[in-house]
Amino acid sequence: MRLNKFLAACGVASRRKAEELIKQGKVFINGNMVTDLSYTVDPKKDEVVVEGKKVSLPEKVYYLFYKPKGFLTSLYDPHHRETIKVFLEKLPQRVFPVGRLDKHSEGLLLLTNDGDLANLLLHPKYAVERRYLVWVTPKLNEKKINQMLKEGVNIEGKVVKPVVFRLIKTEGKNYVYEVCVKEGIKREVRKMVAYLEGKVHRLLRVQFGPLVLENLKPGEIRPLSKAELQKLFRFVSQLKTSKTLAKASSGEDT
């Protein structure tokens, strides 16, 4: 791992500021000053000291979070809108969300400090499925839904197809649809509903890859269980070894 990346992962500073510390001669590895920005650290063997303090990689942690409606999936907003940072501040470790949900959407987010796992889950070539419940009016045209399932719809210049798009129940005046997508295009589900001439009243993510929302309540955060961790790591391992990688678009915000 490159030294600046290692220092950033340890929470010392951003990569750019870490480079400044290295140049200033404030970083020692195994007792020797290191000013080479390309230096590679072995986290298991090397002792790294910054400004007289030994630093090491934090333990990797994984949480499930129910993002409530009305919060940005961000740790900072220049316009001072409410973000999920207020919920994450309660945790003992610094974590970040894997992917995004837009301000008016709610539901499941994975929180972690494991950057490698996050990058893999979000990489377009792995096409990790996201599953939603969507409250819509009026009832959508079934013929047009079936056509979209077969032929796809053009979103941001790319033809994409939902894996699932089906009516599961009615709730008051709303029609509730189950939608599963894997492209990760920004506001993908909302754009599909708009294409079908519907209006979204509520959008809830209930599953991301092997992880499911289950009985979490808005604003709640909990660590993954041992069984969930095993399922997640097994899923990631299968992605890495898969010989047939689906093609998809980058981005997110649904």
Side-chain angles (χ1 to χ4, degrees):
M1 182 184 294
R2 285 178 66 95
L3 182 53
N4 65 336
K5 182 179 179 181
F6 174 83
L7 296 180
C10 292
V12 173
S14 67
R15 291 193 190 186
R16 183 172 297 178
K17 290 184 178 180
E19 289 181 355
E20 294 176 8
L21 291 172
I22 297 167
K23 291 177 182 179
Q24 293 167 4
K26 296 182 178 181
V27 180
F28 288 76
I29 300 178
N30 303 323
N32 300 312
M33 181 191 297
V34 174
T35 56
D36 181 2
L37 298 179
S38 64
Y39 189 95
T40 300
V41 178
D42 184 338
K44 296 180 180 180
K45 296 180 179 180
D46 292 332
E47 180 182 79
V48 182
V49 176
V50 181
E51 297 184 309
K53 295 182 179 179
K54 183 178 178 181
V55 298
S56 59
L57 292 175
E59 178 186 2
K60 292 179 180 179
V61 293
Y62 308 87
Y63 295 92
L64 289 186
F65 172 46
Y66 185 144
K67 186 195 90 69
K69 182 178 179 180
F71 291 83
L72 296 178
T73 307
S74 173
L75 304 183
Y76 170 75
D77 181 67
H79 303 294
H80 307 291
R81 292 171 294 181
E82 289 187 302
T83 75
I84 62 170
K85 183 179 179 181
V86 64
F87 301 99
L88 275 56
E89 288 176 337
K90 304 172 185 178
L91 301 175
Q93 307 93 342
R94 293 176 59 184
V95 297
F96 54 85
V98 179
R100 307 176 71 86
L101 287 170
D102 71 27
K103 179 179 178 180
H104 301 293
S105 298
E106 59 187 295
L108 181 66
L109 281 174
L110 172 63
L111 305 175
T112 186
N113 55 2
D114 188 340
D116 292 336
L117 178 136
N119 290 334
L120 190 146
L121 289 173
L122 294 176
H123 199 293
K125 70 180 180 181
Y126 293 111
V128 174
E129 292 185 356
R130 293 95 158 143
R131 193 172 298 269
Y132 302 84
L133 296 181
V134 193
W135 283 252
V136 176
T137 57
K139 186 178 181 180
L140 304 177
N141 185 295
E142 287 293 330
K143 184 177 180 180
K144 201 168 183 180
I145 290 175
N146 290 331
Q147 182 180 358
M148 182 175 66
L149 286 166
K150 292 178 181 177
E151 301 176 6
V153 58
N154 192 306
I155 298 179
E156 296 185 3
K158 181 178 178 61
V159 176
V160 296
K161 297 179 184 180
V163 180
V164 174
F165 202 120
R166 66 187 182 97
L167 178 65
I168 58 172
K169 64 179 178 179
T170 57
E171 196 171 283
K173 297 181 179 180
N174 290 297
Y175 296 85
V176 185
Y177 290 82
E178 177 189 13
V179 182
C180 180
V181 295
K182 58 183 180 180
E183 286 80 12
I185 296 175
K186 187 175 181 180
R187 299 174 67 83
E188 181 177 11
V189 175
R190 292 182 183 275
K191 290 175 181 178
M192 287 181 177
V193 173
Y195 166 77
L196 295 168
E197 300 180 349
K199 179 179 180 181
V200 174
H201 297 278
R202 184 186 181 195
L203 195 156
L204 172 68
R205 181 190 280 175
V206 295
Q207 186 170 352
F208 176 60
L211 304 174
V212 294
L213 186 64
E214 292 185 332
N215 58 355
L216 269 185
K217 297 178 181 178
E220 284 188 345
I221 300 175
R222 68 165 178 81
L224 269 65
S225 67
K226 183 177 180 180
E228 287 171 329
L229 280 172
Q230 291 175 341
K231 187 182 293 186
L232 177 62
F233 294 149
R234 187 163 55 247
F235 178 78
V236 168
S237 178
Q238 290 171 349
L239 289 181
K240 289 180 179 179
T241 57
S242 174
K243 294 182 180 179
T244 54
L245 303 177
K247 295 181 180 179
S249 300
S250 60
E252 204 164 344
D253 267 19
T254 306

